[in-house]
Amino acid sequence: MKNVTKPADPTPRRQKPRATISVQRGTRAIDAPTRNEIMRFARSAMMRDMEITLRIVNEIEGQQLNFDYRHKDYATNVLSFVYTSEPTVHGDLVLCAPVISREAVEQGKSILAHYAHMIVHGVLHLHGYDHISEAEAEEMEALEIDIVTGLGFANPYLQMESLHHG
């Protein structure tokens, strides 16, 4: 019997990025997404392995965090805190439930669609995307549109534009 040598394995396949996502609910937001929805939304924007904590807060906590870390005295929809972005993303996302609910109504979209958009937006920030310059904003918005529509929701920016131009 011949001694058969197996051919070398082809280049190893790139494994899908892995996510460790801790979900904290600092407020009772009955219209907030489920843990599974949060995980799906966050993973949809993930480009590298990530370990994040996502916390849903009330307006008081959201305002305090925005003041403490950005020196802005109001609650905002999402805050992103990046600790490392390479090779693994480590960070925190804070979602302010009352702000997200209010904005969804103002923008004429479902609350779930707006949560999906804010989670995608925050995860992209954790991956190093920003919207300070116009070029950065265009790149980030294009990614957000692709990801959010891939989740089955409408383009979040078209809905916002129609309110301002309509």
Side-chain angles (χ1 to χ4, degrees):
M1 187 166 168
K2 275 184 158 181
N3 202 359
V4 179
T5 305
K6 289 184 178 180
D9 285 339
T11 306
R13 292 184 195 166
R14 170 75 172 118
Q15 291 182 347
K16 289 173 94 174
R18 288 176 295 193
T20 302
I21 303 169
S22 173
V23 177
Q24 298 177 353
R25 296 181 187 271
T27 189
R28 293 183 59 156
I30 58 171
D31 53 3
T34 66
R35 184 178 191 288
N36 285 341
E37 289 167 328
I38 289 169
M39 301 291 278
R40 184 169 69 97
F41 301 156
R43 284 187 172 125
S44 71
M46 182 174 74
M47 298 169 193
R48 295 185 285 291
D49 290 351
M50 69 178 189
E51 296 178 13
I52 66 170
T53 298
L54 187 146
R55 180 170 172 80
I56 298 172
V57 302
N58 62 25
E59 208 150 357
I60 294 168
E61 187 175 349
Q63 181 174 354
Q64 188 65 55
L65 288 167
N66 201 25
F67 183 77
D68 289 349
Y69 293 96
R70 297 180 63 227
H71 311 291
K72 298 186 186 246
D73 197 14
Y74 58 88
T76 189
N77 47 28
V78 61
L79 291 167
S80 303
F81 299 93
V82 182
Y83 306 119
T84 62
S85 58
E86 294 281 344
T88 300
V89 172
H90 292 96
D92 294 333
L93 290 180
V94 177
L95 299 166
C96 187
V99 173
I100 291 174
S101 296
R102 186 170 51 250
E103 288 177 346
V105 170
E106 291 168 358
Q107 296 172 17
K109 61 174 107 171
S110 76
I111 293 170
L112 189 62
H114 198 40
Y115 266 103
H117 181 209
M118 292 299 95
I119 292 168
V120 166
H121 184 87
V123 169
L124 289 177
H125 274 309
L126 295 178
H127 279 76
Y129 288 89
D130 216 326
H131 44 81
I132 294 170
S133 75
E134 190 171 327
E136 289 174 325
E138 287 176 9
E139 180 183 11
M140 187 170 178
E141 285 178 15
L143 275 170
E144 289 174 63
I145 291 165
D146 285 346
I147 296 166
V148 170
T149 57
L151 288 167
F153 298 106
N155 174 341
Y157 291 101
L158 282 182
Q159 291 173 320
M160 290 169 69
E161 287 174 14
S162 67
L163 291 172
H164 299 296
H165 301 303

